[in-house]
Amino acid sequence: GSTLQAAASGSGRYFGTAIAASRLSDGTYSGIANREFNMITAENEMKADATEPNQNQFNFTNGDRILSWAQSNGKRVRGHALAWYSQQPGWMQNMSGSSLRSAMLNHVTQVAGHYKGKIYAWDVVNEAFADGSSGARRDSNLQRTGNDWIEAAFKAARSADSGAKLCYNDYNTDNWSDAKTQAVYTMVKDFKSRGVPIDCVGFQSHFNSQSPVPSNYQTTLQNFANLGVDVQITELDIEGSGSSQASSYQRVVQACLAVSRCTGITVWGVRDSDSWRSSGTPLLFDGSGNKKAAYTSVLNALNAG
Ligand code: G3I
């Protein structure tokens, strides 16, 4: 294939990007996005602060703009994210205990219900584990409602949209040796053994010099897949430039292609200038929309698979 989406389709996978609704009117941006990608994640527009700004008053305007752009261009959508410690609306940040638990479950039910039948996979719970060596859950108002908040969210999502794949999504879970990776693995294994509805694990894969692509990345993806879930690379970006960046991207693509249950890769933005990172050049297109060396290495790796 001569585009990322065509090349990924050769092995039955998708290649996606995060999209910001506010950038869709930029023709260079939407032109590249339409040409290269066939899975779309709303970068911010389906998060709780956007979709439920006041309790029980839902606003799907910008999420729907992204959904309808994707649908009208024949693309599928990953939903991001139903339950997360961050990007909570102010009213939710101030809640705790059983009222927060109910509000969170209502949020999951209403948002997944609004998008029922239209989402390929939901990031049901995002970033619930702590960084570092503890292997513990991340402290948050949601975690303080009880350790079972994650499974409660997955059950509510399944009830609201039985057709969407339900994912747990996190970062710093790429190195098989890390305590955080092991802790997420243990949770997924437990969920599978007890019949908690989980279908996939998302690896955000935000890499930089402090946190490079680990040598055991493919092992991590394979070990999770062996639990009976799909794995997806959900927010890929890699700081750097030139051939070193290109070879890191190539290794990520090769790792996914080597794991049959790695169903697709999403990069977290289109051009370097669209990245959430305030500086740096972590994406596949430069600020003018030109293909970088990293683009070519990803395309070639996809075509080789
Ligand atoms: O839209 C407002 C604008 O009106 C206002 O003037 C401006 C002033 O701060 O803020 C704008 O909102 C910002 C929004 O991005 C849109 O640009 C928020 O402040 C800013 O916090 C928000 O950042 C997003 C971040 O998540 C929030 O946590 C990034 O765009 C988004 O790329 C990033 O994505 C996360 C994933 O959801 C989860 N994994 C990590 C990833 C990278 O941090």
Side-chain angles (χ1 to χ4, degrees):
S2 62
T3 64
L4 300 172
Q5 57 170 319
S9 298
S11 69
R13 292 175 173 84
Y14 66 80
F15 208 93
T17 185
I19 288 287
S22 62
R23 296 180 197 267
L24 282 173
S25 56
D26 172 342
T28 304
Y29 176 86
S30 53
I32 296 170
N34 194 19
R35 184 184 76 219
E36 298 288 341
F37 302 101
N38 59 358
M39 184 70 76
I40 300 301
T41 305
E43 187 173 2
N44 290 296
E45 294 80 350
M46 295 187 188
K47 295 173 179 176
D49 59 348
T51 53
E52 196 177 358
N54 299 296
Q55 189 170 12
N56 253 317
Q57 291 179 3
F58 291 86
N59 182 344
F60 296 112
T61 307
N62 287 325
D64 288 356
R65 282 177 66 196
I66 290 181
L67 175 75
S68 88
W69 183 85
Q71 289 183 327
S72 65
N73 290 299
K75 304 175 191 312
R76 293 184 290 172
V77 173
R78 291 191 83 266
H80 175 80
L82 294 172
W84 187 19
Y85 79 90
S86 185
Q87 299 288 101
Q88 293 181 1
W91 63 266
M92 191 185 280
Q93 293 175 32
N94 292 326
M95 288 182 86
S96 63
S98 58
S99 57
L100 173 61
R101 176 68 72 98
S102 306
M104 180 273 286
L105 294 175
N106 181 58
H107 180 81
V108 170
T109 300
Q110 297 299 323
V111 178
H114 175 80
Y115 289 110
K116 180 178 161 67
K118 295 165 180 163
I119 300 292
Y120 164 71
W122 267 112
D123 292 331
V124 177
V125 170
N126 196 38
E127 302 175 1
F129 282 81
D131 294 314
S133 59
S134 71
R137 293 284 183 85
R138 177 192 295 277
D139 180 51
S140 71
N141 61 346
L142 292 169
Q143 179 61 28
R144 290 191 291 270
T145 72
N147 208 49
D148 62 342
W149 73 275
I150 298 179
E151 61 196 85
F154 274 86
K155 289 171 185 166
R158 182 70 101 220
S159 298
D161 184 357
S162 61
K165 290 182 185 290
L166 304 182
C167 300
Y168 176 78
N169 191 54
D170 215 329
Y171 67 91
N172 282 352
T173 49
D174 312 289
N175 190 323
W176 181 243
S177 305
D178 284 354
K180 187 172 176 181
T181 308
Q182 292 297 315
V184 174
Y185 179 84
T186 300
M187 179 189 75
V188 175
K189 188 176 185 184
D190 171 57
F191 281 10
K192 293 299 287 182
S193 75
R194 290 190 294 112
V196 176
I198 184 168
D199 306 302
C200 38
V201 175
F203 296 82
Q204 295 184 9
S205 301
H206 295 291
F207 295 119
N208 57 30
S209 55
Q210 277 78 49
S211 150
V213 184
S215 58
N216 58 23
Y217 189 54
Q218 182 183 321
T219 300
T220 302
L221 299 178
Q222 185 66 62
N223 286 345
F224 275 88
N226 290 347
L227 293 176
V229 290
D230 290 343
V231 295
Q232 298 161 2
I233 297 164
T234 54
E235 304 182 13
L236 178 62
D237 53 23
I238 308 178
E239 281 283 21
S241 62
S243 59
S244 127
Q245 180 181 49
S247 71
S248 294
Y249 265 103
Q250 177 185 39
R251 291 184 43 229
V252 170
V253 173
Q254 288 174 338
C256 179
L257 293 182
V259 175
S260 61
R261 290 197 77 150
C262 183
T263 59
I265 299 171
T266 294
V267 289
W268 205 240
V270 177
R271 301 161 300 193
D272 287 335
S273 51
D274 302 314
S275 173
W276 67 285
R277 296 186 188 272
S278 51
S279 63
T281 53
L283 293 170
L284 301 179
F285 295 87
D286 70 18
S288 306
N290 300 307
K291 296 169 179 175
K292 295 167 57 182
Y295 173 93
T296 306
S297 72
V298 167
L299 185 71
N300 290 343
L302 291 170
N303 278 322

